[in-house]
Amino acid sequence: MASVGAVKLFFCFVLWLSNILSSCQGKENFYESHYPFIRRASSFSSSSSSFSSSSGGDNVYDYIIVGGGTAGCPLAATLSQNFSVLLLERGGVPFSNSNVSFLQNFHIALADTSPTSASQFFVSTDGVLNARARVLGGGTCINAGFYTRANARFIKRMGWDAKLVNESYPWVEKQIVHRPKFAPWQRAVRDSLLDIGVSPFNGFTYDHIYGTKIGGTIFDRFGRRHTAAELLSSGNPRKLTVLIHASVQKIVFDTTGKQPKAVGVIFKDENGNQHQAVLVKKAKSEVILSCGAIGTPQMLLLSGIGPKADLKKLNIPVVLNNKFVGKGMADNPMNTIFVPSNRPVEQSLIQTVGITKKGVYIEASSGFGQSNDSIHCHHGIMSAEIGQLSTIPPKQRTQEAIQEYIKNKRNLPHEAFKGGFILEKIANPISTGELNLINTNVDDNPSVTFNYFKHPYDLQRCVDGIRMAAKIAQSEHVTNFTRCNKETVNKILNMSVQASVNLIPRHTNDTKSLEQFCKDTVITIWHYHGGCHVGKVVSPEYKVLGVHRLRIVDGSTFSESPGTNPQATVLMMGRYMAVKILRERLGRAAGI
């Protein structure tokens, strides 16, 4: 019997190995067999279609979606149930990309600064390092994976149909969301949150409830990431076309009528060749932008929609003068407390969250930081040696300062980051900034300013949050876990100043003034939003004001980031808006 068991075990091993090997034989083989509608942009032929004649043809579509990200994928999958859809994504596929697929490589995906990386770094003029997605699946491919819904107040403020919202969330959850494998560090932070009064304990839930809870994740129990790209499998393969490495240059408009009308887009493929994709000549056909809070206002500006004076400076033909495009940009400022450990720390991303009534969220991560492979790499939120320094004020971007930081980082012992981080994030910041074009190259990052802590109420909330985080670091649950002595607040802050990374000059009173600590150690957790607000750039139905057949479906329309982490609501929004569009266009015949 033992030999039979051994044979079965060996057979299972061979099957497992063959699956691993087959998944590594190339990205094309995998997605071509599982997602036959995904093709490289160079396979597209626009010779049979033109903007002047769009009544039919192989490359004429009911919907052209720009951006195959967190909202774009569920949007495309759902619309394709009834209409022809072209989804254009500037990046590649996430499948079989180990930097994207596995939790243990989370920081390496952010460290990759190559032109084909799934993440594209940018630095705000505030001096804070940031990243935007450049891959099919968008932010779900490079984020920390935490999944939690928005609260009822947010849904009501957005004017959404609560019944359809509560149908759209589960559509996502059934396909890509999991219950986390609860890590010891997360348990210690959970118990500490309860001890300092962030109660009650609400257990495992997707809902946004005051107190402490465990949320969902898009990482399964094996640590494998499930992204928005997988939602495309719910689409109709006969009506859905997804092009990767398709970099949209601009939206094309017919300006002969009373109002400009979107007729299609121009994009470049991976070889630099230009193509045009055309909307069918139907009043309800649309170009839909789902490029995210950075990409969507950038695309509007490049296409001639924005402040007239700014467009003229770059010789961009003005299609529509709208002074609000790119304005009201916000990012939820985050500050961290580093907690060293004398015991091995399992890697974990956000699982525990404390939702306070002070407008502060407390989260946790562990086991990510310096490594033999990554100590010389770019780290996004964990590194300062990054390329696009032109948007940073001169006093903050001296090469001497950058080189000094690189030197200090390399001198940090490998063990210095063997611990955990307590993350403190401000909910609904009042401080806002703006986005402006630097040039007309869509591949380049625009200039972005968030004005972190410009409003005193944001700064006060950060101070309250840091006090809470320090109490957690001093708690019995944390010190028992780390096997370290209880430290003073001053020493905790001093360690955290060294571990926090941005391009903001430090001050001598960082550890004596909590206000200064907040300002000098602010980083991002990528929850930026705004730039195309409802009532200013789009209607309540997210149609771009002043033009026909152009809509926006993504976080650029948000005036606040939903819940503790926005990805659940952005995923839901893609599904929700597609169902709304289908029902408005087809009624019961939509079959959704």
Side-chain angles (χ1 to χ4, degrees):
M1 293 294 291
S3 62
V4 173
V7 169
K8 287 184 177 179
L9 184 61
F10 176 74
F11 181 66
C12 289
F13 170 75
V14 170
L15 284 177
W16 172 82
L17 184 61
S18 65
N19 284 333
I20 293 296
L21 291 174
S22 63
S23 70
C24 295
Q25 286 177 350
K27 298 174 186 176
E28 291 85 355
N29 291 343
F30 178 85
Y31 74 76
E32 284 179 1
S33 60
H34 290 76
Y35 301 86
F37 44 80
I38 300 177
R39 310 197 314 260
R40 286 184 172 269
S42 56
S43 68
F44 187 86
S45 173
S46 53
S47 59
S48 62
S49 58
S50 68
F51 296 121
S52 59
S53 176
S54 55
S55 58
D58 294 336
N59 295 321
V60 175
Y61 301 89
D62 294 299
Y63 294 97
I64 298 172
I65 301 173
V66 182
T70 308
C73 287
L75 179 70
T78 304
L79 288 175
S80 72
Q81 297 300 321
N82 297 89
F83 293 99
S84 61
V85 176
L86 174 64
L87 177 61
L88 299 169
E89 167 53 44
R90 68 188 184 125
V93 293
F95 316 117
S96 302
N97 181 340
S98 61
N99 286 351
V100 166
S101 297
F102 297 105
L103 183 148
Q104 69 211 44
N105 295 338
F106 162 72
H107 59 314
I108 298 176
L110 291 171
D112 182 4
T113 57
S114 67
T116 58
S117 171
S119 65
Q120 179 178 353
F121 289 107
F122 71 95
V123 188
S124 71
T125 63
D126 315 276
V128 173
L129 311 175
N130 217 315
R132 52 193 289 220
R134 183 172 50 198
V135 61
L136 187 66
T140 64
C141 298
I142 62 172
N143 65 16
F146 193 65
Y147 183 97
T148 181
R149 297 180 178 185
N151 60 23
R153 181 190 61 81
F154 179 87
I155 302 302
K156 185 175 182 180
R157 182 174 177 178
M158 297 296 288
W160 288 344
D161 178 343
K163 182 175 182 294
L164 181 54
V165 165
N166 290 328
E167 292 170 355
S168 300
Y169 273 123
W171 182 86
V172 173
E173 291 155 5
K174 290 174 184 177
Q175 297 183 72
I176 63 171
V177 186
H178 302 265
R179 183 168 183 160
K181 181 182 176 183
F182 204 39
W185 170 248
Q186 300 288 334
R187 182 174 290 107
V189 173
R190 176 200 65 185
D191 295 342
S192 300
L193 278 165
L194 294 171
D195 275 0
I196 67 169
V198 186
S199 59
F201 178 54
N202 295 307
F204 170 74
T205 179
Y206 296 144
D207 294 333
H208 186 93
I209 312 169
Y210 286 120
T212 297
K213 73 165 196 171
I214 312 302
T217 178
I218 57 173
F219 290 101
D220 63 26
R221 63 192 181 98
F222 302 108
R224 189 174 187 95
R225 183 192 294 269
H226 297 271
T227 76
E230 294 180 28
L231 300 175
L232 292 169
S233 62
S234 298
N236 181 348
R238 295 183 299 276
K239 292 182 177 291
L240 177 60
T241 301
V242 179
L243 297 183
I244 56 173
H245 305 297
S247 181
V248 175
Q249 306 298 298
K250 66 176 183 178
I251 307 159
V252 180
F253 295 95
D254 176 359
T255 57
T256 58
K258 291 184 178 180
Q259 285 191 337
K261 177 176 68 175
V263 294
V265 300
I266 293 174
F267 68 94
K268 287 185 179 180
D269 62 27
E270 68 273 17
N271 300 319
N273 296 319
Q274 189 167 286
H275 305 267
Q276 57 189 36
V278 184
L279 284 176
V280 69
K281 280 189 175 179
K282 293 180 181 177
K284 294 187 177 181
S285 294
E286 293 177 323
V287 171
I288 304 178
L289 298 182
S290 295
C291 313
I294 304 297
T296 289
Q298 180 187 24
M299 183 56 61
L300 285 182
L301 293 168
L302 290 172
S303 303
I305 298 177
K308 184 177 181 180
D310 293 347
L311 298 176
K312 286 193 169 183
K313 286 178 184 177
L314 293 172
N315 296 317
I316 298 173
V318 178
V319 173
L320 180 72
N321 179 25
N322 186 328
K323 65 181 181 180
F324 297 112
V325 175
K327 302 301 187 286
M329 297 291 297
D331 188 20
N332 299 73
M334 184 174 78
N335 297 77
T336 65
I337 294 293
F338 174 63
V339 183
S341 176
N342 286 328
R343 67 189 294 179
V345 179
E346 176 185 333
Q347 285 182 319
S348 72
L349 292 171
I350 300 165
Q351 299 175 351
T352 296
V353 62
I355 302 173
T356 76
K357 293 185 178 181
K358 293 184 176 182
V360 172
Y361 301 136
I362 303 293
E363 300 173 340
S365 67
S366 61
F368 290 93
Q370 305 276 71
S371 73
N372 290 332
D373 294 329
S374 66
I375 195 166
H376 301 298
C377 291
H378 305 286
H379 272 73
I381 66 168
M382 294 295 291
S383 146
E385 56 271 49
I386 195 164
Q388 195 197 4
L389 301 174
S390 60
T391 63
I392 303 172
K395 291 182 181 179
Q396 298 178 15
R397 58 177 162 95
T398 65
Q399 285 304 313
E400 292 80 8
I402 303 301
Q403 292 305 315
E404 181 65 21
Y405 173 74
I406 295 172
K407 178 183 176 182
N408 291 339
K409 178 177 177 241
R410 289 171 178 167
N411 290 338
L412 286 171
H414 175 68
E415 293 76 17
F417 286 84
K418 286 190 174 178
F421 284 90
I422 300 166
L423 318 177
E424 173 274 332
K425 188 188 89 165
I426 300 303
N428 310 329
I430 299 173
S431 309
T432 61
E434 62 181 15
L435 177 151
N436 296 286
L437 295 181
I438 296 174
N439 56 39
T440 57
N441 186 348
V442 71
D443 297 323
D444 289 347
N445 291 313
S447 171
V448 186
T449 303
F450 294 116
N451 288 323
Y452 299 102
F453 301 128
K454 184 176 182 179
H455 195 284
Y457 181 56
D458 292 344
L459 186 59
Q460 182 56 52
R461 284 186 290 168
C462 177
V463 169
D464 293 340
I466 292 300
R467 287 185 177 132
M468 294 174 64
K471 286 182 181 179
I472 293 171
Q474 293 175 314
S475 72
E476 183 179 356
H477 297 290
V478 167
T479 55
N480 286 345
F481 172 80
T482 61
R483 297 174 183 167
C484 292
N485 295 326
K486 181 178 177 180
E487 302 288 359
T488 65
V489 171
N490 192 66
K491 188 169 182 180
I492 290 170
L493 295 181
N494 188 54
M495 288 187 293
S496 300
V497 166
Q498 295 179 46
S500 184
V501 179
N502 58 35
L503 298 181
I504 298 172
R506 296 294 188 263
H507 292 78
T508 55
N509 62 336
D510 275 339
T511 60
K512 296 177 182 178
S513 164
L514 290 182
E515 288 84 358
Q516 199 64 55
F517 177 87
C518 286
K519 291 178 180 178
D520 287 359
T521 65
V522 64
I523 57 176
T524 184
I525 196 167
W526 316 291
H527 296 169
Y528 47 81
H529 51 280
C532 297
H533 286 147
V534 175
K536 294 181 177 180
V537 178
V538 297
S539 71
E541 294 76 35
Y542 305 104
K543 295 180 180 181
V544 175
L545 299 171
V547 298
H548 293 304
R549 303 208 305 177
L550 181 60
R551 197 187 297 247
I552 297 173
V553 178
D554 62 27
S556 69
T557 63
F558 294 169
S559 58
E560 64 181 272
S561 181
T564 62
N565 302 69
Q567 81 161 339
T569 302
V570 179
L571 285 161
M572 180 280 295
M573 183 189 192
R575 169 67 176 183
Y576 173 94
M577 283 306 302
V579 173
K580 287 272 290 184
I581 291 168
L582 291 179
R583 286 179 177 174
E584 289 170 1
R585 190 165 179 178
L586 299 174
R588 292 184 179 181
I592 299 295

